[in-house]
Amino acid sequence: MVEDAGVVAPDRTIRLHADAPVHVCGDAARLQQVLNNLVGNAIQHTPAGTPIDVSLESSGGEAVVRVADQGPGIAQQDLSRVFDRFWRAEAGRSRARGGSGLGLAIVQAVVHAHHGTVRITSHTGSGTAVTVTLPALPPPR
């Protein structure tokens, strides 16, 4: 997925940080959709050239995936609404730039269907990070 994003956005540095594979049980296509939505949002809503970091780790029996950018961030008053269907922070996310306001609502629904959590942190001027936590399977023997 990171390699695919690099093809779509060759002007970006998209880095993957993963020490080892982490296995989860779930719908592979839907989980890929989650990652595509998160990386796609980072590409779409940050200025050209803004680096994006994708990390994967195992922590306490959970798979933790984080997509972080160093873009303009999301205003604090908007953070409570980012998972609402059809909602977009108008200052930085116009229809001219695409999107229906469903991406993060879909991410949340898929993650919850997989018994996971999703949270977002952002500060205006210093970027946004979305963290998805899913139950991990034990490492293969």
Side-chain angles (χ1 to χ4, degrees):
M1 183 272 317
V2 170
E3 290 174 5
D4 291 347
V7 171
V8 172
D11 64 326
R12 300 300 179 107
T13 300
I14 304 172
R15 299 174 288 234
L16 174 63
H17 309 275
D19 293 333
V22 181
H23 299 274
V24 298
C25 182
D27 183 328
R30 296 292 68 85
L31 292 172
Q32 184 171 353
Q33 181 180 20
V34 165
L35 295 173
N36 286 336
N37 281 357
L38 295 178
V39 173
N41 278 352
I43 291 169
Q44 184 176 11
H45 300 300
T46 60
T50 302
I52 299 166
D53 290 291
V54 179
S55 63
L56 170 68
E57 67 178 349
S58 178
S59 177
E62 296 179 318
V64 181
V65 178
R66 185 172 186 258
V67 177
D69 65 59
Q70 298 171 20
I74 301 169
Q76 293 301 303
Q77 69 268 19
D78 293 336
L79 282 176
S80 66
R81 302 208 53 213
V82 296
F83 295 108
D84 293 351
R85 291 175 16 160
F86 304 112
W87 185 85
R88 294 184 328 264
E90 294 305 323
R93 290 158 172 78
S94 69
R95 288 211 191 272
R97 294 184 73 183
S100 62
L102 287 173
L104 287 176
I106 291 169
V107 164
Q108 185 179 55
V110 170
V111 170
H112 286 175
H114 286 82
H115 309 288
T117 62
V118 58
R119 74 177 198 280
I120 188 167
T121 56
S122 187
H123 300 284
T124 304
S126 64
T128 300
V130 181
T131 304
V132 171
T133 305
L134 299 166
L137 294 174
R141 296 178 199 207

